[in-house]
Amino acid sequence: MSDSKHIVSPQWLSEHLEDRDVVVVDCRFSLVDADLGSREYQESHIPGAYYLHLNEDLASPVDVHGGRHPLPDTAKLADKLASIGVNFQKTLVVAYDNSKLAFASRLWWLLRYMGHDAVAVLDGGWSTWLQAGYPVTAELPTPIKGEFLPQLRPEMQVDIEVVKGRKDLPEVALVDSREVDRFLGKYEPIDPVAGHIPGAVNYYWQEAMDSSGQLRSPEEQRQRWQDIQSAEEIIVYCGSGVTACANLLSLELAGISGAKLYPGSWSDWCSYL
């Protein structure tokens, strides 16, 4: 799809790599090999891109409850963002990955949660960049100090108690972002319990993209969400609060703002069962 305030194309990024007010962040990660993304970054990445690690930068350590990827310490993340040249509310951060924007969307959501709206994802991610023939490098960028003082938006997320209290209200739509077989409890490859939160509806996060991994048009995104667009409140979850962010991006592209993330998601919910 074409560029928007939430998305940039490989062509646009290739033309703005030298801009001082643009910082590119590589978010590649693998749930089965936590260091794979970092190794891939060391081998080859978009010129000038910095690397942020899902477990180390975009999440907090796992506890008994709270899910597999609790929200990060925002002060620590703010320091990290400043260390790679991000200036609060000024620098445009462009995030990419090689997982249909699952991890890039997490950074997109976190920055907006921290009050920084100047953030976009690279449409199609790393693979589209490569297919277009744009340059890559193994050279690590020289850090440029920025200033990042977050202004949190706590209304963008909810905890398990809020979900319990609101999930059955007729004006609330609770969205499960996992693939349908996990939603139905037919199998569960990661969490100890299979199933979904009672009352949830299933919108698989990858359906926000086409077969090539590029985001669908705003009209297609609107059609995707038409059955719940009139809900007064939309709460979105997945397994651990990561891929749900791709659905939150999809909702924004559809013109539906204000949807909330349940960061703990199913991994938090089932820890109480």
Side-chain angles (χ1 to χ4, degrees):
M1 63 174 292
S2 59
D3 300 330
S4 77
K5 70 175 184 177
H6 301 296
I7 305 167
V8 299
S9 65
Q11 179 181 347
W12 184 95
L13 184 57
S14 72
E15 295 169 353
H16 293 82
L17 283 179
E18 303 298 325
D19 288 9
R20 293 178 60 86
D21 57 353
V22 174
V23 168
V24 183
V25 178
D26 187 317
C27 299
R28 282 178 286 176
F29 186 80
S30 169
L31 292 173
V32 297
D33 181 353
D35 294 323
L36 178 61
S38 178
R39 295 197 305 271
E40 291 176 333
Y41 169 78
Q42 297 283 340
E43 294 169 2
S44 182
H45 53 263
I46 294 176
Y50 298 90
Y51 183 75
L52 292 183
H53 191 285
L54 175 64
N55 291 349
E56 297 172 8
D57 300 309
L58 308 183
S60 294
V62 177
D63 207 338
V64 176
H65 301 298
R68 285 182 281 106
H69 293 106
L71 294 185
D73 179 326
T74 50
K76 181 181 176 182
L77 179 55
D79 288 344
K80 182 74 176 216
L81 291 166
S83 76
I84 61 173
V86 180
N87 290 295
F88 184 64
Q89 294 182 339
K90 295 179 181 178
T91 304
L92 173 64
V93 177
V94 178
Y96 74 90
D97 62 31
N98 59 351
S99 303
K100 295 190 175 181
L101 303 180
F103 308 113
S105 294
R106 170 77 166 206
L107 178 58
W108 169 86
W109 184 89
L110 280 169
L111 280 165
R112 296 174 70 248
Y113 171 66
M114 295 169 72
H116 185 90
D117 289 325
V119 56
V121 297
L122 176 63
D123 197 13
W126 174 246
S127 61
T128 301
W129 180 268
L130 291 178
Q131 289 165 9
Y134 292 117
V136 298
T137 185
E139 182 179 350
L140 300 182
T142 302
I144 302 173
K145 186 67 175 175
E147 185 175 7
F148 198 97
L149 301 173
Q151 298 175 7
L152 298 187
R153 293 166 171 161
E155 70 278 5
M156 289 178 60
Q157 57 112 357
V158 297
D159 61 17
I160 190 171
E161 295 305 321
V162 173
V163 176
K164 287 179 179 178
R166 301 191 60 78
K167 67 183 182 61
D168 296 320
L169 298 178
E171 67 272 20
V172 175
L174 179 62
V175 174
D176 187 311
S177 305
R178 298 170 301 163
E179 61 184 292
V180 64
D181 283 350
R182 287 183 70 191
F183 172 76
L184 294 175
K186 292 183 177 180
Y187 85 112
E188 178 48 61
I190 305 175
D191 293 308
V193 181
H196 63 264
I197 300 174
V201 292
N202 184 224
Y203 283 78
Y204 184 33
W205 68 275
Q206 290 195 23
E207 293 173 354
M209 297 87 184
D210 61 23
S211 58
S212 70
Q214 293 184 298
L215 285 156
R216 299 185 185 278
S217 69
E219 179 55 35
E220 289 174 304
Q221 305 287 3
R222 283 189 289 271
Q223 291 174 1
R224 182 172 180 244
W225 297 105
Q226 61 183 349
D227 289 345
I228 64 169
Q229 64 181 346
S230 61
E232 294 180 15
E233 183 177 28
I234 300 175
I235 299 172
V236 186
Y237 76 93
C238 55
S240 66
V242 176
T243 57
C245 295
N247 262 343
L248 290 165
L249 173 60
S250 172
L251 283 160
E252 285 289 335
L253 295 174
I256 303 172
S257 299
K260 302 172 182 179
L261 174 68
Y262 170 26
S265 289
W266 178 249
S267 56
D268 177 52
W269 184 274
C270 76
S271 71
Y272 292 92
L273 299 179

